[in-house]
Amino acid sequence: MYVQLPFDELRVDSTQKKRIAYFYDADVGNYAYGAGHPMKPHRIRMAHSLIMNYGLYKKMEIYRAKPATKQEMCQFHTDEYIDFLSRVTPDNLDNFAKEQIKFNVGDDCPVFDGLFEYCGISGGGSMEGAARLNRGKCDIAINYAGGLHHAKKSEASGFCYLNDIVLGIIELLRYHPRVLYIDIDVHHGDGVEEAFYTTDRVMTCSFHKYGEFFPGTGELRDIGVGKGKYHAINVPLRDGIDDATYKSIFEPVISHIIEWYQPSAIVLQCGGDSLSGDRLGCFNLSMSGHANCVNFVKSFNIPMMVVGGGGYTMRNVARTWAFESGLLNNVVLPSELPYNEYFEYYGPDYKLDVRPSNMYNANSPEFLNKILTNIIQNLEHTKHAPSVQMQDVPRDPEDLGDVDEDTAEAKDTRGGSQFARDHETEKPGELYDDDDKDKGEKNITITEAEQMEIDELNQEE
């Protein structure tokens, strides 16, 4: 079943136009996990600088999303966990000794200045991106500050505090019957899988290194439970996977999923730690090998949200996300880097490229054939896309900031302001099942036998 595909040069259709909403908050690069910590939010600012200097801003709509509120974060996370994140600082950390253990905050997930604001930026971008996709305002939404796939309902994990992906998918589920989540980070997307492990409304598919590697989850036999059985797909890979091998497993798996599951929206997590030469990763993908996944998923023309994720060699992550932004806009960026404020990071060659190394590929064709066969057998159970009960689409959250419609003039037009209409209450006696009844008449259906009894009683009286 496994066939080694040739790895060709990436191509785009320059005549095709996608409407792209790109979310970026200039503050995101100001946050720091601490000296010596591998996670550096500064890489998002570097990627943004390349994207701007390549002129991609002319092709996209660029937004700064409103940071996610506590209430929005609590759509997935617990109230007490979000309350803790909003109150803890490096100065008052000693007051939260119990909570640090309970919420797994410490070495990997340190408390730093502006932690809650940082969470708000990543969550706001993914939620606003999902909302724009829902309203048909764009075909692709990009939020490189997102992709923090390890965060759990009430626990930080793997440098992730707020699971912006889950919040974005929850938003998509308000309009879309089925959502597909694809994860090409070198680490297993455990937080997202866990959140949707029991539902058939979301299918999660993660390609990751498995075996004595963080977070230790995501083996082939983890397929979901209950209604969600066969809706969690894990592709456990070994060290040194290269472009052609990755393409040969990625493309058939994704093709089968889309053909059988028929998602109406896709979320793609583009963690850059699967690139060759990453500080924490152990794969051997070039920039083109990584970007091929993005290009392939885009080719299905399904509404799509692209988020960031891991990636700990900053210059390579910035190069790759800039290149992938170009592909999403149907442009193959030239390899000569334009001058930008972080130009010295890209020495000595100053090229837009991440080259593979001579690392040994431990993924044999027999091993990959076994994985592919197993996954396709499991997918057989999802061949007929699950049905979703028809129901009204819930209203978009009320915009409490718009007070113009509540002025006296507005209340005199169109039956009063939206605010006033929202706060009208049902008057007693207004609820009828049958409009033909006289106003005030009680809506009671009487059988013939009951009517005869009433007539008899009346005659006796």
Side-chain angles (χ1 to χ4, degrees):
M1 190 170 283
Y2 172 82
V3 179
Q4 181 91 2
L5 302 173
F7 191 82
D8 304 320
E9 199 175 318
L10 293 175
R11 289 188 177 83
V12 292
D13 179 5
S14 55
T15 59
Q16 190 186 44
K17 182 73 185 98
K18 295 274 188 191
R19 294 169 305 151
I20 296 187
Y22 171 82
F23 290 88
Y24 176 72
D25 190 313
D27 290 343
V28 76
N30 297 334
Y31 301 100
Y33 279 62
H37 197 286
M39 176 61 112
K40 307 220 180 301
H42 178 61
R43 71 212 166 110
I44 301 159
R45 186 184 275 165
M46 289 172 60
H48 177 72
S49 176
L50 278 182
I51 287 165
M52 292 295 109
N53 284 287
Y54 266 114
L56 291 176
Y57 62 88
K58 298 170 188 169
K59 297 180 175 291
M60 306 188 285
E61 293 175 345
I62 298 178
Y63 298 98
R64 182 179 188 166
K66 184 171 71 68
T69 63
K70 271 190 182 183
Q71 191 179 3
E72 287 167 339
M73 293 176 182
C74 290
Q75 288 180 87
F76 170 59
H77 296 284
T78 61
D79 295 9
E80 55 176 354
Y81 175 57
I82 295 301
D83 184 56
F84 164 73
L85 289 181
S86 69
R87 290 194 296 136
V88 71
T89 67
D91 298 330
N92 66 13
L93 197 53
D94 296 341
N95 302 336
F96 293 98
K98 276 187 186 168
E99 284 85 351
Q100 283 184 69
I101 297 163
K102 183 177 179 183
F103 300 129
N104 194 33
V105 170
D107 298 334
D108 273 359
C109 303
V111 172
F112 54 86
D113 283 320
L115 170 59
F116 188 70
E117 290 77 14
Y118 171 70
C119 293
I121 288 171
S122 77
S126 295
M127 291 185 75
E128 182 59 34
R132 291 195 78 81
L133 286 171
N134 282 345
R135 297 198 296 271
K137 296 284 179 68
C138 64
D139 303 311
I140 298 172
I142 303 174
N143 176 32
Y144 289 130
L148 305 174
H149 59 168
H150 293 306
K152 310 290 196 302
K153 193 180 181 73
S154 59
E155 188 181 305
S157 174
F159 317 155
C160 307
Y161 306 85
L162 183 85
N163 201 316
D164 64 284
I165 301 169
V166 172
L167 294 173
I169 292 175
I170 288 169
E171 183 67 29
L172 288 170
L173 289 174
R174 297 171 72 238
Y175 283 69
H176 294 275
R178 288 175 297 282
V179 176
L180 169 62
Y181 169 68
I182 304 168
D183 192 316
I184 59 170
D185 194 290
V186 75
H187 301 98
H188 177 231
D190 56 338
V192 184
E193 180 183 278
E194 189 179 294
F196 300 110
Y197 207 58
T198 60
T199 179
D200 59 7
R201 296 278 309 278
V202 179
M203 183 173 275
T204 59
C205 178
S206 177
F207 297 79
H208 52 270
K209 152 83 171 157
Y210 180 72
E212 293 185 9
F213 195 70
F214 181 87
T217 53
E219 69 164 321
L220 194 58
R221 289 174 295 181
D222 293 340
I223 56 171
V225 295
K227 261 186 136 178
K229 194 170 185 186
Y230 306 115
H231 289 80
I233 294 163
N234 286 297
V235 186
L237 300 168
R238 294 174 180 162
D239 290 4
I241 192 163
D242 58 28
D243 294 350
T245 315
Y246 202 92
K247 174 182 177 173
S248 305
I249 189 88
F250 183 84
E251 292 190 1
V253 168
I254 298 303
S255 299
H256 279 91
I257 291 172
I258 290 174
E259 182 187 344
W260 291 343
Y261 185 62
Q262 296 172 19
S264 55
I266 295 175
V267 177
L268 175 60
Q269 197 265 19
C270 295
D273 45 11
S274 44
L275 290 162
S276 179
D278 189 80
R279 276 178 70 186
L280 300 185
C282 50
F283 285 177
N284 194 20
L285 293 183
S286 73
M287 182 179 77
S288 297
H290 195 275
N292 177 65
C293 301
V294 178
N295 208 34
F296 184 71
V297 175
K298 179 183 77 106
S299 68
F300 289 94
N301 294 318
I302 296 170
M304 173 179 170
M305 181 156 75
V306 175
V307 292
Y312 308 100
T313 303
M314 288 198 293
R315 59 186 182 275
N316 290 349
V317 177
R319 283 170 163 137
T320 304
W321 287 351
F323 184 69
E324 288 168 353
S325 301
L327 293 179
L328 293 169
N329 284 286
N330 296 306
V331 178
V332 177
L333 297 178
S335 65
E336 282 299 322
L337 284 174
Y339 187 76
N340 62 87
E341 56 262 59
Y342 307 109
F343 195 64
E344 65 278 7
Y345 280 77
Y346 303 105
D349 57 353
Y350 304 101
K351 291 274 195 289
L352 185 71
D353 194 17
V354 178
R355 296 192 189 91
S357 68
N358 59 354
M359 189 178 185
Y360 173 69
N361 183 358
N363 298 271
S364 65
E366 298 76 32
F367 169 68
L368 293 171
N369 187 62
K370 180 182 150 213
I371 289 175
L372 191 56
T373 308
N374 199 299
I375 287 169
I376 287 171
Q377 280 172 355
N378 287 338
L379 275 171
E380 284 281 348
H381 298 278
T382 68
K383 214 166 195 173
H384 302 290
S387 58
V388 174
Q389 180 185 347
M390 291 300 291
Q391 56 194 10
D392 287 337
V393 173
R395 284 199 199 111
D396 286 331
E398 185 185 351
D399 184 2
L400 297 172
D402 185 8
V403 293
D404 292 345
E405 62 180 9
D406 301 320
T407 58
E409 293 81 4
K411 288 180 182 178
D412 291 334
T413 58
R414 294 180 288 105
S417 71
Q418 185 63 45
F419 183 81
R421 286 203 295 277
D422 286 348
H423 286 77
E424 268 183 14
T425 52
E426 207 73 61
K427 294 182 177 60
E430 277 189 347
L431 298 169
Y432 305 110
D433 289 347
D434 188 348
D435 292 337
D436 296 330
K437 291 191 178 294
D438 295 331
K439 190 164 183 178
E441 184 182 339
K442 289 188 177 173
N443 186 18
I444 299 173
T445 308
I446 299 173
T447 63
E448 280 185 41
E450 287 170 336
Q451 187 62 54
M452 285 170 67
E453 266 185 56
I454 290 166
D455 292 342
E456 282 172 22
L457 285 168
N458 288 339
Q459 283 171 4
E460 284 172 15
E461 285 173 4

